C-alpha cells in the first residue's frame, strides 16, 4: 500500500471517529444487539429497523477506540437499504479483507469505503476492533440476540 493511500485511509477513519454517522439510539428498533471487545474495551449497541428483509434504519451507540467506532459508523452507512442477504455477503467480504495475510494485496472488491480498513490486517489486535460492529450485526440478525464478544 502506498503512503498516500494510507493517509487517506487514516483520514476517513479519523473523520468517522470524530463524527460517527448514525450514532445514537433508535427508539423504534426491531432488533438490538450488544457487542463487546474485551481486548480493547470497545462496547457498542446496535439498533436495527427492518422493512421486510431490508434494513430500513440502523443506529449504534457505545464507546471504544477510533477503529471500532469508525468501523461501526462506516458499516451503518453501507448496510442501510440493503437486504440481510446482501449484508451477509458484505460481512464475508469485509471479514476476508481484514483477516487476510498481510503479505498479500488486499481484496477490496465491492467494499467501497469499507476498504479503508484493509490496513488493519497488519495489526492483528486491531482486527477485533474492526469486526466488532459486524459480529454485533450478525447477532442482531439471529433470533435470540445476546451479548457477543470477539473472543
Ligand atoms: Zn478497539
Amino acid at each position: 500500500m502506498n503512503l498516500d493511500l494510507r493517509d487517506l485511509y487514516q483520514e476517513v477513519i479519523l473523520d468517522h471517529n470524530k463524527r460517527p454517522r448514525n450514532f445514537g439510539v433508535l427508539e423504534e428498533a426491531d432488533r438490538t444487539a450488544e457487542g463487546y471487545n474485551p481486548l480493547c474495551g470497545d462496547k457498542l449497541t446496535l439498533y436495527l429497523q427492518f422493512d421486510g428483509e431490508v434494513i430500513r434504519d440502523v443506529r449504534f451507540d457505545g464507546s471504544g477506540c477510533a477503529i471500532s467506532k469508525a468501523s461501526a459508523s462506516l458499516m451503518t452507512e453501507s448496510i442501510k437499504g440493503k437486504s440481510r442477504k446482501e449484508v451477509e455477503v458484505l460481512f464475508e467480504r469485509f471479514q476476508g479483507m481484514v483477516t487476510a495475510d498481510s503479505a498479500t494485496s488486499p481484496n477490496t472488491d465491492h467494499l467501497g469505503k469499507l476498504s479503508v480498513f484493509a490496513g488493519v490486517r497488519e495489526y492483528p489486535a486491531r482486527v477485533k476492533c474492526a469486526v466488532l460492529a459486524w459480529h454485533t450485526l450478525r447477532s442482531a440478525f439471529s433470533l435470540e440476540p445476546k451479548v457477543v464478544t470477539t473472543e
Side-chain angles (χ1 to χ4, degrees):
M1 200 183 304
N2 69 43
L3 222 55
D4 291 347
L5 260 184
R6 260 178 211 270
D7 286 350
L8 171 72
Y9 286 1
Q10 205 168 352
E11 220 165 89
V12 173
I13 289 169
L14 291 177
D15 174 52
H16 277 263
N17 173 50
K18 214 163 131 189
R19 284 189 302 277
R21 320 303 198 262
N22 304 305
F23 191 78
V25 178
L26 183 60
E27 300 290 351
E28 320 80 50
D30 297 313
R31 289 281 173 84
T32 64
E34 287 172 35
Y36 178 46
N37 172 17
L39 265 187
C40 181
D42 309 316
K43 276 184 186 168
L44 68 88
T45 306
L46 195 65
Y47 307 87
L48 290 170
Q49 190 182 30
F50 290 100
D51 188 359
E53 280 292 297
V54 172
I55 295 172
R56 184 181 6 191
D57 206 357
V58 52
R59 254 172 250 174
F60 78 99
D61 68 3
S63 59
C65 68
I67 297 280
S68 70
K69 220 164 160 185
S71 178
S73 173
L74 280 154
M75 180 190 81
T76 58
E77 277 198 327
S78 50
I79 64 171
K80 212 185 264 191
K82 287 202 167 70
S83 71
R84 288 185 198 213
K85 266 188 194 143
E86 288 171 312
V87 168
E88 282 287 338
V89 171
L90 209 54
F91 174 95
E92 298 295 342
R93 288 204 171 111
F94 184 79
Q95 171 110 326
M97 177 185 73
V98 296
T99 56
D101 186 341
S102 58
T104 62
S105 65
N107 181 359
T108 57
D109 290 354
H110 310 288
L111 281 169
K113 269 193 198 170
L114 295 170
S115 48
V116 296
F117 293 100
V120 305
R121 296 176 314 151
E122 292 164 44
Y123 309 94
R126 289 287 166 198
V127 171
K128 293 188 175 189
C129 303
V131 297
L132 177 64
W134 291 89
H135 282 289
T136 310
L137 175 66
R138 266 212 169 155
S139 158
F141 279 170
S142 67
L143 283 173
E144 292 173 63
K146 55 183 189 311
V147 177
V148 292
T149 80
T150 50
E151 287 305 286

